[in-house]
Amino acid sequence: MGGLTVGETAEREDLLATAVVRAVKASGAYAGSVFLRSRDRRSVVLAATCGVPPSLLGGWRRIPVSSPIPVADAFTSGRTVHLADADETMRRYPQLAVALPYAFGSCSVPVGAGGERFGALAVVWAAPPGGRGTAKSRRRHLRAVANRLGASLAALRARTGDPLECDPETVPVETPAPSAPAVRAGLFDWDLDTGALTGDDEFCAIFGLDPGTFDGRADTLASRLLPGDRAALRAAAREAAAEGRITARSLRVREGEGTAGEGYHTVELWGRVADKGTERAHLVGTVVDARAGRAAAAAVERLRDGLFSLTPDGRVSYANRSLEQLLGVRGEVLLGQFLWDVLPWLSDPAFEDRRRSVMISQAPASFLAHRPPDQWLAFSLHPGADGVTGRVVPVGQPPSAQAAPAPSTASPTSAPATASPARLGVMYHVLQLGSALTQAVTAREVCEVVADQLLPAFGGQQLALYVVRAGTMHRIFHTGRHEDFLDWLEGMPLHAHLPGTETLTSGVPLFIESQQDLSRGYPGIPVGEVSSWAYLPLIASSRPVGTCVLGFDEVHRFTAKDRSVLTALAGLIAQALERARLYDAEFALARGLQQGLLPHRLPVLPGLHTAARYLPGTSGMDIGGDWYDVIRTANGVSLVIGDVEGHSIAAAATMAQLRSAVRAFAVVGRTPGEVLAGANHALIDLDAGLLASSCYLHLEAGGHRAYAVRAGHPPPLLRHPDGTTDVLDLEAGPLLGVDHTSTYPPTPIELPPGSTLALYTDGLVEERDTDIDVGIDRLRTAMAHARADSLDELADRLLHHAQRSAYRADDIALLLTEYRPVAAPR
């Protein structure tokens, strides 16, 4: 807790526990959790839970803030993230659905104050498919709880200096889910000399007395007992007076007002004599009514079915005798343990997954298990917020198992006694990183995903990725405050006696826990400020790809779990990095082809200044069909922009042929309408099966008039010398490639000196779920208000938003032309 006193730590824990309990009640959820930011701000760390044990969350105790996970998203964005059910979770946060593929809904809200965010609060509820989630009013209440917590934490920091951070090693505050009490207890004070007796409301309720009319006499209390037990009450008083205490004295309390033959329940009396500074002796104690628990235990012990109870984290809290016989293990061996740890034939992770499923989704589940040598058992699990009740019955051999020669660990219905598969906590890291790597396309993206996932998960501070090129090591990525981390590995040959090369040539990970260990194994290697290292070989398809190195500023002890998880993750990283390197090479080739099809240099023309830009889409490697051109003709200048549908080599090839056709028709002096009509015929004759849009303008030599035609293309923009910008209303023709008889009527345009034309493709103005006219008007406004000293600067400003976008589904082409006629000589 960063040097906080015990009192300050307890105060923070009280605030967190109170808030998470209020959040669960306010939202109608069954569980909730609070995450606080880590010291390095790279993660949010589990700080408090209600209704869900930290062990159930597995790898979710520390979440990188860059992860596409609701809690991290709420923390970084400051917005509420509401997921009604599993379907919405899969659509919006597929990585969460991959790691927790259960039916649940959730709501995550930020926790902060004064514009600063300290963490996030999340609640979870059972959500069958098609659920509507929690109501807006409850979400507002949940946000209010988070805001109050943020304000309280800010006040705590102002008073005590608490940095409001959470160490990954700190044990989270855990509050059990509320449940119906199995035991009732009432408090009393009995004056043994006078017989005066006082008790709280629960005491009176246990004995069937009205707290408002109870006269405080021991005889009145005795009248509520069976006649045979009234003497026992007096004997208990004498025993207490003589020995100073009374322990577990059983009394039978009448259920009604009839005779002794009526119903009754048994209670226990516990107490001790207290000295209150007077001569009188007072028996102070508790009456315990455990009839619900005793009756339930007696009832389940009579059943032949095996019954058991699991705590929220999966440990056995109760097992009846029938279960002991069915499982072949004594009850005392089961209590406090996980079933899969005690019974080897239940060690398949599928069984643990079923238990997690019922707790998270709060929906019952069942499965079959094979107990060697030849017994089959049906398990059914019934969840509640405070744990799971299980039932076990013997069944016949399922048909699917009759043809199999022996049980196999591949099926959730069986597992041999020697199996020891990885636990779900280990599997989480593999699932999480694997899911994140599927979205990483380039080598740079793969490296960033690895850093975002591995460093927070294992508490490292440095990460470097080296790849093999021409038999030597080359660093392609590094993050951490030590800039010289592993500099000495750069350019080293694979046969060098170094940990970064030997782990790759041997294929065996190296875990070095101290500087002394490193110096003993590799004398003379620079140590720097790092204290522990994990060297992971990256091998894909039996070929060395590179080495991933994690560095720890403080000594780190690698547990068996750490080693097994990191070893498994190294294979995923190697495959993703190899795939990304191939993508990068093919991407460079494709983009080179794309650039080769566009004009390398625009012609310099008197009275005209031109500037062009092309931005490829960011999703996928396929090249697009956008193009632009400036064509000098015998009687003026032609400007053209176009877009062939699709993103493929075919689209690029069609674009090249269409561009050549337009240029050929323009050079021989065809009118604008004839140019596009000829291009339309050429596209149809190519039989490429693709359509195209285009906008074509011809500027007369020595004049200030242009004629424009368009074929299904967005209209050009005209910025006047005073900055006013208009969307030109051109008569529109059909797309190219639709019909041989299509015509393209021209529209005359006046170009005053100092005006600027903008031709563009739809990738610049189209946005998902937004009408294209809105995008065109937004571009018009940007062009009107853009301050630019040159046409190139104006082009960059118009593309500023598109360049910053991480996701562009379409290519973008932009052609700007400024009309500044040259004055004729005198």
Side-chain angles (χ1 to χ4, degrees), residues 7-51:
E8 293 165 353
T9 300
E11 186 174 356
R12 183 212 278 191
E13 291 177 345
D14 290 345
L15 291 174
L16 297 175
T18 301
V20 74
V21 170
R22 286 177 176 169
V24 171
K25 292 180 178 178
S27 60
Y30 69 83
S33 53
V34 178
F35 290 77
L36 292 181
R37 61 193 181 187
S38 62
R39 189 174 304 170
D40 60 7
R41 302 297 195 270
R42 286 181 170 175
S43 311
V44 286
V45 182
L46 183 64
T49 68
C50 173

Side-chain angles (χ1 to χ4, degrees), residues 56-325:
L56 188 66
L57 295 176
W60 300 100
R61 292 183 60 171
R62 177 169 46 192
I63 301 175
V65 296
S66 59
S67 293
I69 301 299
V71 168
D73 197 358
F75 172 71
T76 54
S77 68
R79 296 191 299 268
T80 298
V81 180
H82 176 250
L83 302 173
D85 57 15
D87 291 339
E88 186 175 4
T89 302
M90 175 61 78
R91 288 194 305 270
R92 295 176 56 188
Y93 295 92
Q95 286 186 237
L96 177 63
V98 166
L100 294 174
Y102 312 121
F104 67 93
S106 66
C107 187
S108 303
V109 295
V111 173
E116 181 184 5
R117 288 190 284 275
F118 310 135
L121 187 153
V123 294
V124 178
W125 58 85
R132 301 178 63 182
T134 189
K136 288 185 178 180
S137 59
R138 286 186 164 181
R139 279 179 257 164
R140 286 195 296 269
H141 201 162
L142 184 64
R143 189 79 183 232
V145 171
N147 290 338
R148 284 198 297 270
L149 173 60
S152 300
L153 291 174
L156 177 65
R157 180 175 63 179
R159 191 173 67 255
T160 66
D162 185 342
L164 305 182
E165 298 165 348
C166 194
D167 246 333
E169 289 74 26
T170 303
V171 178
V173 180
E174 188 175 355
T175 305
S179 60
V183 175
R184 300 173 66 190
L187 304 178
F188 67 88
D189 184 334
W190 186 3
D191 188 327
L192 298 178
D193 292 336
T194 65
L197 188 149
T198 58
D200 63 6
D201 290 351
E202 194 70 19
F203 175 85
C204 294
I206 290 172
F207 283 97
L209 299 169
D210 182 357
T213 61
F214 177 45
D215 57 11
R217 297 175 58 245
D219 289 343
T220 303
L221 177 70
S223 68
R224 296 298 307 144
L225 304 177
L226 291 183
D229 284 0
R230 293 169 186 169
L233 178 62
R234 293 190 294 270
R238 291 193 298 272
E239 177 186 336
E243 301 182 6
R245 62 185 301 163
I246 183 173
T247 304
R249 176 59 66 96
S250 294
L251 301 172
R252 290 173 293 175
V253 181
R254 292 187 293 121
E255 297 285 1
E257 298 294 338
T259 63
E262 65 197 22
Y264 66 89
H265 62 272
T266 303
V267 300
E268 290 183 352
L269 207 63
W270 297 70
R272 64 180 178 83
V273 174
D275 181 7
K276 295 192 174 182
T278 67
E279 296 298 329
R280 294 175 178 175
H282 285 258
L283 178 62
V284 179
T286 304
V287 59
V288 179
D289 179 2
R291 55 181 159 169
R294 283 197 298 264
V300 298
E301 288 297 341
R302 300 186 194 107
L303 296 176
R304 292 190 175 183
D305 295 349
L307 294 175
F308 62 91
S309 178
L310 302 180
T311 60
D313 66 351
R315 297 181 184 275
V316 178
S317 58
Y318 172 80
N320 69 351
R321 285 190 293 271
S322 296
L323 182 76
E324 297 177 18
Q325 297 171 359

Side-chain angles (χ1 to χ4, degrees), residues 653-677:
T654 301
M655 176 267 282
Q657 292 171 303
L658 200 56
R659 177 183 168 225
S660 298
V662 169
R663 175 172 279 272
F665 288 122
V667 168
V668 298
R670 297 288 183 90
T671 65
E674 292 172 338
V675 170
L676 284 195

Side-chain angles (χ1 to χ4, degrees), residues 461-715:
Q461 291 75 42
Q462 315 293 322
L463 185 137
L465 277 161
Y466 279 81
V467 297
V468 179
R469 293 177 187 161
T472 58
M473 305 294 290
H474 295 276
R475 190 169 75 181
I476 61 169
F477 183 83
H478 167 256
T479 184
R481 65 185 183 91
H482 305 315
E483 291 296 332
D484 58 348
F485 179 62
L486 297 184
D487 278 354
W488 46 266
L489 190 55
E490 180 69 28
M492 290 294 179
L494 281 182
H495 58 75
H497 177 56
L498 298 169
T501 54
E502 290 192 345
T503 188
L504 188 55
T505 55
S506 67
V508 178
L510 292 177
F511 300 97
I512 302 174
E513 297 184 340
S514 68
Q515 294 182 351
Q516 293 76 14
D517 292 344
L518 178 67
S519 298
R520 279 195 297 270
Y522 302 92
I525 288 184
V527 172
E529 301 178 57
V530 180
S531 300
S532 298
W533 300 262
Y535 286 86
L536 308 177
L538 305 181
I539 300 174
S541 302
S542 302
R543 193 180 70 84
V545 175
T547 300
C548 176
V549 189
L550 273 69
F552 301 81
D553 289 350
E554 298 179 0
V555 173
H556 183 86
R557 301 301 178 191
F558 296 97
T559 64
K561 175 184 173 181
D562 289 342
R563 295 168 186 255
S564 62
V565 173
L566 287 170
T567 301
L569 296 181
L572 293 178
I573 298 169
Q575 294 289 345
L577 191 58
E578 182 69 359
R579 183 190 69 241
R581 289 173 63 190
L582 292 173
Y583 174 92
D584 287 342
E586 295 180 12
F587 182 86
L589 179 62
R591 290 307 180 203
L593 174 61
Q594 175 85 57
Q595 294 296 335
L597 296 175
L598 294 173
H600 290 261
R601 184 183 298 108
L602 297 178
V604 178
L605 303 168
L608 290 179
H609 297 165
T610 57
R613 296 290 187 272
Y614 172 79
L615 286 181
T618 60
S619 62
M621 184 191 67
D622 292 335
I623 59 179
D626 291 15
W627 94 92
Y628 56 85
D629 208 349
V630 178
I631 308 166
R632 191 196 304 267
T633 67
N635 59 346
V637 177
S638 294
L639 309 173
V640 63
I641 197 162
D643 183 3
V644 177
E645 68 173 338
H647 296 82
S648 63
I649 296 295
T654 301
M655 176 267 282
Q657 292 171 303
L658 200 56
R659 177 183 168 225
S660 298
V662 169
R663 175 172 279 272
F665 288 122
V667 168
V668 298
R670 297 288 183 90
T671 65
E674 292 172 338
V675 170
L676 284 195
N680 177 52
H681 280 270
L683 182 57
I684 294 175
D685 292 342
L686 286 173
D687 197 23
L690 299 174
L691 303 178
S693 68
S694 182
C695 185
Y696 180 94
L697 290 91
H698 180 71
L699 283 69
E700 294 178 337
H704 53 80
R705 173 171 291 187
Y707 292 89
V709 291
R710 67 186 181 111
H713 199 83

